[in-house]
Amino acid sequence: MTDLADPFDAIADAPFDSALSQRYLVYALSTITARSLPDLRDGLKPVHRRLLWAMRLLRLDPAAGYKKCARVVGDVIGKYHPHGDQSVYDAMVRLAQTFALRYPLVDGQGNFGNIDGDNAAAYRYTEARLTQVAIDLMAGLDEGTVDFRPTYNGEEEEPEIMPGLFPNLLANGASGIAVGMATSIPPHNAAEVLDAAMLLIDEPEAEAARLLEHVKGPDFPTGGVIIDGPSAITEAYATGRGAFRVRARWTREDTGRGTWAAVVTEIPYGVQKGKLIEEIAALINDKKLPILEDIRDESDAEIRIVLEPRSRTVDPDMLMDSLFRLSDLEVRVPLNMNVLDAHHTPRVLGLKAVLQGWLTHQFEVLRRRSEHRLAKIDDRIELLDGYLVAYLNLDRVIEIIRTEDEPKPVMMAEFGLTDRQAEAILNMRLRSLRRLEEMEIKGERSKLEDERSGLQALLASPARQRTRMKRDLTALRDRYGLETPLGARRTTIEEAGPAREYSREAMIDKEPITVVLSQRGWIRALKGHADLASAETMKFKEGDGPAFAFHAQTTDKILIAAENGRFFTLPGDKLPGGRGFGEPIGLMIDLDGSVGVAACFTAGAGRLLLASSDGRGFIAKVEDVVAETRKGKQVVNVRPGSKLRIVRRIAEDADYVAVVGDNRKLVLFPLTELPEMGRGQGVTLQRYRDGGLSDAIALKFADGLSWSMGGGSGRTRSEADLAPWRSARGAAGRMAPIGFPRDNRFG
């Protein structure tokens, strides 16, 4: 009994990180070059190329009958592509979907999915054949134009690339995610791409801007409208990276009696109609778009989505702009032309480089086709010369065949024939030995000689090659021209600005209200501008009292500033009614009941003076403190032990800030010394040895300072000369003027 070899003898010690990185690199390169990125020359990934090749071998031409997709998938995974059947079938389904490919390569029969997002039927139920586009893409495979390589098991052969003239990379686009890189190429109009290619043949130095005179932009199978400006489109194509904003196409449709509806007839590329309708329906249910009443899907073979406004007074453009912002009726389609070049190297190329690489491949195909045809002509002429010798010496040839045991060497020696010529003569059928055959041979030989001369001239002259290429491209363009049903441009390019934001105020009736907020945080809105001093207006629960009361409109935004420096926003039309005592603001905003309210007022244009009890503050714009959510927006970062105390509007003519502390010391400094911020602690307004800030106000220095004398007299007192209290920001200040209110408030 022999000793078994120890399997651990074949194990080599290596650092784990280097072994892992080496293996991962192999996997990454395989994913990049053999799975995810399309080839610059034919725009196909290996799975698509193998699908088309298998269907060609099955003779599934456009004029032939359909065959089950299961048969095609079986051939592909059994002979060429050893991967999962579902992944191969999914790739095949996409090649047949008219809403996914601008120029479908597979003609499907059966359920191949739909734009709603429904999946295709199983491959045992569906059938397929090739389209004319696929035939044009594979034209020349039998003419020696491309190399073939063995399949994964060495039993078959498959083409390394497709030689046809159809510009599939740009016409149908591609998308894929590899390892560390991705590609996203939107579909384009084939006629425009061919026009740009012919321009590049005539003018190799043409800039991208010249090419864009022909290639207007992407041309999606689902239509839509591209709203980017010329500069953005030019930049994207020049670098090979960018994005296109695509909107749905819609029209305003009158429904009688002054009412109307917006009808969407084309949706952006890559958007599933079913999910889009669910998304818009959710906007209606969540009341995020009150101006939209309903959505209906009336689509059949053509898309028809009906959007009904809340009322006839809604601006149609405002409604659609709101939907463009909030839904996938407007999307960004990325452009990342990351492709494999002729050397299988991934590169991000601009439009000109892509067209140049494709034309280089097509000129190589033209040369190889010509050389292949020349070789065929030489072989045929060799045989025709042998046939001519046989007809000129027919009796002697027959005699040799009848009398000689080995006629081939005798004929070769007597008539100077080659081995192929002698073999061809011996294989001739008797019916070919008819009279006047000599004239037919000479005529065929003469035609072949003329064709050979033309091919030799073509191979020797780049100018002739360019002329021939343009002639072939022109013939192909006629098939996919803009005037044909398949070639007509579907996506239009209309520059447009960003969608306008929906304005809530547009749907709210403007009515006067009186907002009352109590000390315990109960808020209500009375109809009309009520008397702020009346008992009916200022009624509260027992133990509660007034804190803030002011006049506003239902269209206003009500700002609430909490003592912790957080600002909240409530819409005026959503406040609880004036009957009763209102509702706690904690039900409408996330405000802890232990945190007091520092200010409550209406939003609007202008600036605010914000200051905390420790004497720090800054200036903020009103629009910067408006919050969009119930959590509010942190604006003033108060330090521990401090709270937000001052929130005052700044008059347009104000030029100084007056600050008074609990110690009754007053200081004035220029308003320009305060920074304008969106958020922060601010800067020191006044220095205190003990106590803190009592009040602060922005005023016009020349007008002096006035305050109420109190006691119900209605009289005021003024201090015209404020120079003694003028100082630099952060000073301690000096005692306030005689008669200044005892509560240390400016009023």
Side-chain angles (χ1 to χ4, degrees):
M1 182 176 178
T2 57
D3 294 335
L4 294 176
D6 188 348
F8 292 98
D9 291 342
I11 296 177
D13 290 333
F16 181 76
D17 57 347
S18 62
L20 184 63
S21 62
Q22 181 181 3
R23 285 157 177 77
Y24 191 76
L25 179 61
V26 172
Y27 161 73
L29 290 175
S30 172
T31 302
I32 292 169
T33 60
R35 184 178 301 179
S36 299
L37 298 189
D39 195 289
L40 165 66
R41 296 166 290 179
D42 65 0
L44 296 174
K45 301 176 185 178
V47 63
H48 301 135
R49 196 176 296 117
R50 288 162 176 165
L51 272 165
L52 297 181
W53 174 242
M55 295 180 71
R56 185 177 188 270
L57 293 183
L58 289 171
R59 302 186 182 281
L60 294 177
D61 300 329
Y66 295 91
K67 285 189 179 179
K68 288 287 187 182
C69 292
R71 172 74 185 277
V72 177
V73 172
D75 275 14
V76 171
I77 65 176
K79 296 180 179 180
Y80 311 109
H81 198 69
H83 294 272
D85 59 340
Q86 191 60 48
S87 63
V88 173
Y89 181 53
D90 288 345
M92 183 180 182
V93 165
R94 187 177 183 278
L95 294 182
Q97 290 177 335
T98 55
F99 54 87
L101 251 64
R102 178 64 178 81
Y103 300 90
L105 301 176
V106 172
D107 177 12
Q109 181 171 266
N111 176 14
F112 277 81
N114 55 37
I115 200 169
D116 279 331
D118 297 329
N119 293 326
Y123 53 46
R124 61 183 177 274
Y125 301 121
T126 55
E127 299 177 338
R129 64 185 178 188
L130 294 170
T131 63
Q132 183 59 48
V133 179
I135 299 300
D136 291 336
L137 182 58
M138 293 187 285
L141 276 175
D142 298 328
E143 300 174 21
T145 51
V146 294
D147 293 329
F148 282 72
R149 64 185 174 203
T151 56
Y152 71 95
N153 57 7
E155 295 180 358
E156 306 276 346
E157 280 193 334
E158 60 178 339
E160 292 186 357
I161 206 76
M162 294 300 184
L165 270 177
F166 185 77
N168 186 61
L169 177 68
L170 289 174
N172 274 325
S175 62
I177 299 174
V179 177
M181 61 181 64
T183 185
S184 178
I185 305 173
H188 294 77
N189 189 277
E192 295 178 355
V193 173
L194 293 173
D195 286 339
M198 287 188 277
L199 171 65
L200 210 53
I201 292 174
D202 289 333
E203 304 176 31
E205 303 302 321
E207 296 297 328
R210 290 290 312 282
L211 299 177
L212 292 181
E213 294 176 4
H214 299 287
V215 181
K216 309 297 184 184
D219 188 20
F220 300 107
T222 53
V225 182
I226 294 175
I227 60 171
D228 290 297
S231 59
I233 294 176
T234 302
E235 176 67 19
Y237 280 117
T239 60
R241 291 185 185 274
F244 302 97
R245 287 188 299 152
V246 185
R247 283 182 180 174
R249 192 185 304 277
W250 68 281
T251 56
R252 183 183 183 276
E253 190 174 280
D254 291 329
T255 54
R257 297 184 178 180
T259 60
W260 59 272
V263 178
V264 175
T265 55
E266 295 175 1
I267 62 177
Y269 179 64
V271 174
Q272 296 179 359
K273 177 164 65 69
K275 290 186 177 179
L276 173 65
I277 292 174
E278 290 177 5
E279 181 184 31
I280 297 176
L283 293 177
I284 298 174
N285 292 334
D286 297 342
K287 295 182 172 52
K288 293 183 178 179
L289 193 57
I291 58 177
L292 180 62
E293 176 70 23
D294 191 20
I295 179 172
R296 295 194 310 276
D297 184 11
E298 299 180 355
S299 307
D300 45 23
E302 304 293 331
I303 289 178
R304 178 180 169 85
I305 301 173
V306 181
L307 301 163
E308 290 189 355
R310 176 60 58 88
S311 70
R312 68 182 68 180
T313 59
V314 173
D315 181 9
D317 292 324
M318 175 64 75
L319 172 62
M320 294 309 298
D321 275 1
S322 302
L323 285 168
F324 290 147
R325 288 179 61 89
L326 298 173
S327 73
D328 281 345
L329 284 177
E330 178 183 325
V331 299
R332 291 180 66 86
V333 177
L335 173 72
N336 180 18
M337 291 202 282
N338 189 6
V339 296
L340 299 176
D341 62 14
H343 305 291
H344 279 236
T345 303
R347 298 171 59 194
V348 177
L349 303 175
L351 175 63
K352 181 178 179 180
V354 167
L355 288 174
Q356 284 176 328
W358 179 74
L359 284 173
T360 300
H361 166 62
Q362 290 303 327
F363 278 114
E364 176 64 22
V365 167
L366 177 61
R367 285 189 290 271
R368 292 188 60 163
R369 179 186 288 113
S370 302
E371 292 168 353
H372 181 267
R373 179 59 183 162
L374 272 178
K376 292 288 186 182
I377 290 174
D378 289 341
D379 288 347
R380 182 61 181 169
I381 288 178
E382 180 185 357
L383 295 181
L384 291 175
D385 287 342
Y387 290 151
L388 195 57
V389 169
Y391 281 104
L392 292 176
N393 302 278
L394 186 57
D395 294 335
R396 176 59 182 154
V397 168
I398 294 174
E399 181 182 353
I400 292 173
I401 294 173
R402 292 183 63 189
T403 58
E404 297 291 338
D405 293 335
E406 293 291 338
K408 184 192 292 187
V410 177
M411 283 193 296
M412 292 172 61
E414 185 168 337
F415 302 114
L417 301 174
T418 64
D419 185 271
R420 288 185 68 250
Q421 289 174 329
E423 188 67 33
I425 292 172
L426 292 174
N427 291 332
M428 287 174 61
R429 295 184 177 183
L430 290 176
R431 69 174 59 183
S432 301
L433 303 177
R434 62 186 192 274
R435 292 183 300 173
L436 301 180
E437 191 72 25
E438 178 184 352
M439 297 301 296
E440 294 181 12
I441 293 174
K442 288 183 177 180
E444 182 183 353
R445 193 183 191 287
S446 176
K447 290 180 181 178
L448 291 175
E449 285 284 1
D450 293 342
E451 185 180 354
R452 179 165 65 179
S453 299
L455 290 173
Q456 289 173 340
L458 178 67
L459 288 171
S461 171
R464 286 175 180 263
Q465 294 175 22
R466 291 193 294 270
T467 303
R468 174 64 179 273
M469 183 63 67
K470 287 177 60 180
R471 189 180 72 192
D472 293 345
L473 291 176
T474 301
L476 188 68
R477 190 202 180 282
D478 291 341
R479 180 175 295 163
Y480 301 103
L482 295 172
E483 63 283 351
T484 64
L486 180 60
R489 174 168 267 280
R490 303 178 187 178
T491 301
T492 55
I493 300 175
E494 303 172 4
E495 183 178 3
R500 293 175 297 172
E501 186 172 4
Y502 158 67
S503 173
R504 279 187 62 260
E505 292 78 6
M507 283 299 295
I508 301 173
D509 293 332
K510 187 175 182 179
E511 297 177 353
I513 56 174
T514 300
V515 179
V516 179
L517 178 62
S518 74
Q519 296 172 359
R520 291 186 175 180
W522 286 66
I523 192 169
R524 65 184 187 270
L526 291 78
K527 289 185 178 181
H529 286 170
D531 183 2
L532 300 181
S534 72
E536 181 63 27
T537 302
M538 293 299 171
K539 65 177 182 179
F540 300 96
K541 287 187 174 184
E542 187 176 351
D544 200 358
F548 303 95
F550 54 90
H551 294 152
Q553 303 289 336
T554 52
T555 55
D556 288 337
K557 293 180 178 179
I558 309 302
L559 294 179
I560 296 174
E563 292 181 341
N564 59 5
R566 185 172 288 272
F567 279 66
F568 303 88
T569 306
L570 291 175
D573 63 311
K574 300 297 184 182
L575 295 178
R579 291 186 178 181
F581 302 108
E583 293 180 3
I585 57 174
L587 298 178
M588 291 172 274
I589 58 177
D590 291 343
L591 179 63
D592 192 334
S594 62
V595 179
V597 175
C600 182
F601 57 99
T602 59
R607 300 186 298 168
L608 299 173
L609 172 63
L610 306 178
S612 55
S613 58
D614 60 355
R616 302 178 68 86
F618 59 92
I619 297 172
K621 292 182 178 178
V622 176
E623 56 264 30
D624 290 343
V625 304
V626 175
E628 300 295 338
T629 65
R630 62 177 290 145
K631 291 183 178 180
K633 177 186 288 188
Q634 189 68 39
V635 177
V636 182
N637 296 331
V638 294
R639 295 193 290 187
S642 302
K643 60 180 66 175
L644 177 62
R645 177 161 292 174
I646 305 301
V647 180
R648 288 185 183 272
R649 288 188 181 274
I650 300 176
E652 292 185 3
D653 60 350
D655 55 3
Y656 264 71
V657 176
V659 184
V660 63
D662 294 332
N663 55 11
R664 291 187 62 78
K665 288 189 175 181
L666 175 67
V667 64
L668 279 85
F669 56 85
L671 185 64
T672 54
E673 293 186 10
L674 271 188
E676 186 174 295
M677 304 167 62
R679 175 177 177 175
Q681 287 186 356
V683 296
T684 301
L685 309 182
Q686 187 178 18
R687 188 175 69 254
Y688 310 106
R689 180 171 297 176
D690 50 15
L693 180 143
S694 179
D695 202 0
I697 192 174
L699 49 79
K700 187 176 181 180
F701 188 82
D703 292 345
L705 181 63
S706 299
W707 59 87
S708 172
M709 296 183 66
S713 63
R715 293 184 298 165
T716 61
R717 183 168 179 174
S718 299
E719 184 69 39
D721 184 12
L722 298 176
W725 292 273
R726 184 168 57 185
S727 179
R729 177 183 57 80
R734 57 184 297 180
M735 293 302 293
I738 297 174
F740 190 76
R742 304 303 299 176
D743 61 359
N744 295 332
R745 305 287 292 181
F746 292 110

